[in-house]
Structures are given as C-alpha cells and as structure tokens.
Amino acid sequence: MEFLTWLDHTFPRDFFDENVAQRALRHLGYHEKWGLFSEDYAVQRGAEGHWYECLVYEIMLDLSLQTDLIRSVVRKGNDMQEPHIATHPGQNGFFYSEKGNLTVRGNGQTIAEMDLLFVDNLGNMGFFEVITSAMGLKTFHEEVCYKKMLLGTLLGQKTVPFVLVSSVDVSQYASVQRIAEEPDCLVLITNPVEEMRDLIYEGSLRRRPERPGPHQKAVGLTPFRPQNSFDYKEVHDGNRERVVWAMLSARTDDGMEAIASVVNPLSKKIMLGTLDESGVRTMLRDRGVRIKDAVLSADDVVGCFCRVVIAFDIPAYTPVIYFKVRGKDEYLKIVLDAGGDLAFESSRTPAHTMAGFYEWLDAEKPSLHPRIAERYASLFFTRREAHPITGASSGPAGEARSPPA
C-alpha cells in the first residue's frame, strides 16, 4: 500500500522536535500535565502514555501537509469542535467521548476506541494504536482485527489501513508479529517515551498553550456516517437466538465450535438472558463464587442477589456473569480468574461512564431454561477434578446476607 510505504519511510523514529512536543501538551488536563513529573510511577506512566498518543496525533497533522497520500486526519482531544453527546441506548456509529477520544458506539455502548483516525488518498479510513508498554498484548491481534472488520463493515471498505506506533520494542511479541503479517498493517517503533519526555520541562507546563489555527486537512468525527445499515442491538439479538438454539441442539462433543460457527463477530458480548433459582443452582452445582474474602455457594447467590444475567465475551469466548445486588442499582461482574475459579472483578452502576451499558444490562431479558445454564457451565467453565465447593461460603450455606462491601 503506497501510503503505508511512504509513512514507513517518513515517520520520525528519533523524535526531538520541542515545538511539536510542547504542542501535544495542550490535549492534557492540568493534573495530567503535572503527572508527567509525578513521583508516583503509575501516575507518571499514565500521563506519559496519553502525551505520547497526542504527540503522534500532532506528528500526523504535520505529515499530512507533506503528501497527497493523506486526505484527512480526524480531530481529537482539545481539537474536538462538536459537542459531546451523552450515551443512551439506540446510538450506533461514530461519537466523541467526553475527553475527545474517537469511539464507535453500538446501542449506546463504546464497542471500539481508536487512538487516531485518518483517511488515505483512496478514501479508505484507517486507524492508529499508540502504546508505551508491552502490557496487554496477549489479545492485541484480536482487538486490531475486530476494529479493522468493524470499520470495514460500517464504511463498506475492503481495505482498512492500520498503524501501530510503539515507544518500546514489541517486535518480538507473537501478537505484534501476527499484526505485521496482516495485509495493510504497519508497525513503527520510536525512541523511548522517556527520552522524548525530556523535551518537556516543568517551566513549560506553566505556559498557556496556543491553539493552532485551522488545519486544512483536519476534519471532525461525527460527520462520518455508516454507509451500511448498523443496528448493534439487532446484531446482538440475532446472535443470541442462534447461540441459544445451538446450545440446545448441538451435541456435547461439538464444543465451542458449534457456538462460534453461528456468531456474527460484530458483537463484542452476547447476553444470553437471566437465570431463575433453578438455573443458578444448575450452573453452580459444583462450584462457588469468590467475592473478595468470601466464597458463595449457589444458595448464597440466590439469597444475596435478585437477578443473574449470563453472557460471554467475543472473540475470547470467555464467560461473564452479572449478579444484581438486592435493593441497589448495582451489578457485580463475575469472571473466571487465572486459576479457573469464578470471582468478582468489578461493579456496574448507572454512572455516566457506563450508563449505556448499564441500561442495556438492566433491561428485560429472556428467562433461560436450566438446560441452558447446564450447557453454559459445561462450555465455559473449567472442568473440575477436585471436590465441589458448593456451600463453602464464609457463612452457612443458604444464609441470606449482603455481599461483601
């Protein structure tokens, strides 16, 4: 691809342009700027990561003026000109986040976020991912493939260019090597972000960054509209019906292949429905659920929670269960931990950051037959050779009590 070849030769790996480095600061908030010099390592690394992402954006704005191979670069961060639109069910397509990040929403949820979006000379939209760490690369290839498929489906593109920019050498990681082998993909390794950050000094943070004038190739995100029909809830509901049918009709030895064969991969998660008390006991027949310092049995779960929704994530095909706390607008998200046990991971509430997802999660769901609960457990849970742990809670089995705070 001509654009990627040009970018491979043109993008600066050894970056020491103080003006562009300072310009990238304007996308960071006050506390995030000072976080670049924090003594807290985690805070400093988080600020560095965001600044480096904004630096790549500013570099691409400059490079776009040097070639006809870049038709436009999508504004982000402090350059966002459209008002932020709060999430709500039914939203599908391109939206800015509250902080000016570039996202795709499906039924009001963020199903993909891209660090940078651009349009090449052929009219194809492509995207960048920008990283400063090798952490989280295990599923990176799958995430990139999903975003390529999503953009291609929305915009009717056969080609979706992708560029990975990293300030650490990730070229030996299997997931990155797989990306480099994909068509229309480019991996760029720059000098370390710690070296580039030396272009910023504490005195420069006290300056009020100047807002650049109009950029002839910068465009907004929201004018991009899906060319193909895209109703994420409709895709999800169709997936759910096919998966339930497959779970009821497939032979036991068909395994996960029978499920994967009927799934439209545009879905990131499939919520199968709710379980009644019989379904919960069937699903948790031989296992407990660890919530902080307690292990709850099936009877405990029935007593503590008023609703149980079972789901699974795609493309990893890993189980996710949501327990609604009695008397609260809160669900506990339960996943398999590294040891293969069901364990509490985090909460889901109507907070604005996840309002769209919470509303969808809390909406009326089909009630599932215990046979589905049994099939779900056999497909998604690790088979156990050890003794069952039902009733192994920190209180008497079946004793109704609130989940640990």
Side-chain angles (χ1 to χ4, degrees):
M1 187 178 206
E2 190 178 3
F3 162 70
L4 294 181
T5 301
W6 176 86
L7 189 64
D8 191 19
H9 287 94
T10 309
F11 194 92
R13 270 60 158 203
D14 297 322
F15 183 81
F16 295 105
D17 189 323
E18 184 176 335
N19 290 330
V20 180
Q22 298 284 340
R23 205 164 69 218
L25 283 174
R26 64 195 179 88
H27 303 285
L28 276 62
Y30 175 83
H31 294 291
E32 200 168 24
K33 290 177 185 178
W34 286 101
L36 291 169
F37 299 93
S38 174
E39 294 182 1
D40 186 319
Y41 181 74
V43 171
Q44 184 185 94
R45 291 295 290 166
E48 284 178 348
H50 188 202
W51 173 76
Y52 181 66
E53 176 188 322
C54 296
L55 180 66
V56 171
Y57 166 67
E58 293 290 344
I59 291 172
M60 287 304 299
L61 285 176
D62 285 352
L63 291 181
S64 70
L65 299 177
Q66 301 177 20
T67 179
D68 293 332
L69 297 175
I70 304 175
R71 183 177 297 180
S72 58
V73 176
V74 178
R75 297 187 190 96
K76 62 173 294 178
N78 195 49
D79 290 342
M80 177 180 69
Q81 296 181 353
E82 297 94 324
H84 167 67
I85 301 174
T87 59
H88 61 76
Q91 290 175 329
N92 297 291
F94 297 98
F95 291 85
Y96 279 110
S97 76
E98 193 171 6
K99 294 183 178 180
N101 296 327
L102 311 170
T103 72
V104 177
R105 293 181 191 170
N107 194 33
Q109 306 156 65
T110 297
I111 58 174
E113 181 174 323
M114 285 67 63
D115 291 336
L116 189 148
L117 287 168
F118 66 94
V119 179
D120 68 14
N121 60 311
L122 300 177
N124 292 319
M125 175 178 277
F127 67 104
F128 279 57
E129 294 294 324
V130 182
I131 61 175
T132 56
S133 168
M135 293 179 61
L137 289 179
K138 184 177 181 180
T139 60
F140 193 63
H141 175 257
E142 288 78 8
E143 292 169 7
V144 169
C145 288
Y146 175 79
K147 292 176 184 180
K148 285 172 71 77
M149 176 195 63
L150 179 64
L151 291 179
T153 300
L154 292 184
L155 300 173
Q157 296 178 195
K158 293 182 179 180
T159 299
V160 178
F162 168 70
V163 181
L164 169 63
V165 183
S166 174
S167 68
V168 292
D169 187 356
V170 293
S171 59
Q172 300 306 309
Y173 286 82
S175 60
V176 175
Q177 291 175 347
R178 292 174 68 189
I179 289 171
E181 293 170 357
E182 294 278 349
D184 307 310
C185 289
L186 174 64
V187 176
L188 300 172
I189 309 296
T190 72
N191 52 323
V193 67
E194 295 85 357
E195 293 181 11
M196 290 183 278
R197 201 203 66 196
D198 288 342
L199 298 168
I200 305 296
Y201 46 92
E202 293 191 51
S204 64
L205 301 183
R206 296 183 174 88
R207 300 178 185 172
R208 182 182 295 274
E210 295 183 11
R211 189 180 184 92
H215 192 288
Q216 66 188 63
K217 288 193 174 182
V219 297
L221 174 65
T222 53
F224 288 94
R225 293 286 183 265
Q227 294 183 8
N228 296 322
S229 175
F230 177 58
D231 186 326
Y232 189 74
K233 186 177 185 302
E234 184 178 293
V235 171
H236 169 274
D237 292 349
N239 268 331
R240 181 203 166 273
E241 291 179 10
R242 289 189 295 273
V243 168
V244 169
W245 178 86
M247 292 175 78
L248 290 173
S249 60
R251 302 188 309 272
T252 303
D253 57 359
D254 286 342
M256 197 63 72
E257 291 78 10
I259 306 302
S261 66
V262 299
V263 169
N264 180 333
L266 279 177
S267 289
K268 295 292 293 290
K269 183 189 301 287
I270 296 180
M271 286 190 266
L272 295 170
T274 59
L275 298 180
D276 60 14
E277 294 184 8
S278 175
V280 172
R281 292 189 171 94
T282 298
M283 180 178 68
L284 300 178
R285 181 179 295 126
D286 63 344
R287 66 186 57 242
V289 180
R290 185 173 299 281
I291 301 179
K292 299 188 178 179
D293 60 350
V295 178
L296 306 188
S297 69
D299 288 339
D300 294 328
V301 170
V302 169
C304 292
F305 303 98
C306 61
R307 194 168 189 236
V308 174
V309 178
I310 60 173
F312 62 91
D313 286 338
I314 303 171
Y317 287 91
T318 52
V320 186
I321 307 170
Y322 299 93
F323 294 164
K324 187 169 188 182
V325 182
R326 291 188 184 277
K328 291 185 178 181
D329 290 332
E330 179 184 18
Y331 284 84
L332 305 189
K333 180 181 178 182
I334 309 298
V335 299
L336 287 181
D337 65 14
D341 295 319
L342 290 170
F344 167 73
E345 182 188 73
S346 55
S347 296
R348 297 292 180 265
T349 69
H352 76 280
T353 54
M354 58 181 68
F357 177 75
Y358 181 89
E359 191 168 344
W360 190 24
L361 174 62
D362 201 45
E364 195 64 32
K365 300 269 185 304
S367 181
L368 300 172
H369 191 277
R371 186 179 167 192
I372 293 292
E374 184 176 28
R375 184 69 170 142
Y376 180 86
S378 69
L379 281 169
F380 292 104
F381 297 166
T382 305
R383 293 188 180 276
R384 289 190 171 278
E385 304 294 337
H387 297 295
I389 55 176
T390 302
S393 64
S394 56
E399 179 184 355
R401 54 192 174 83
S402 299

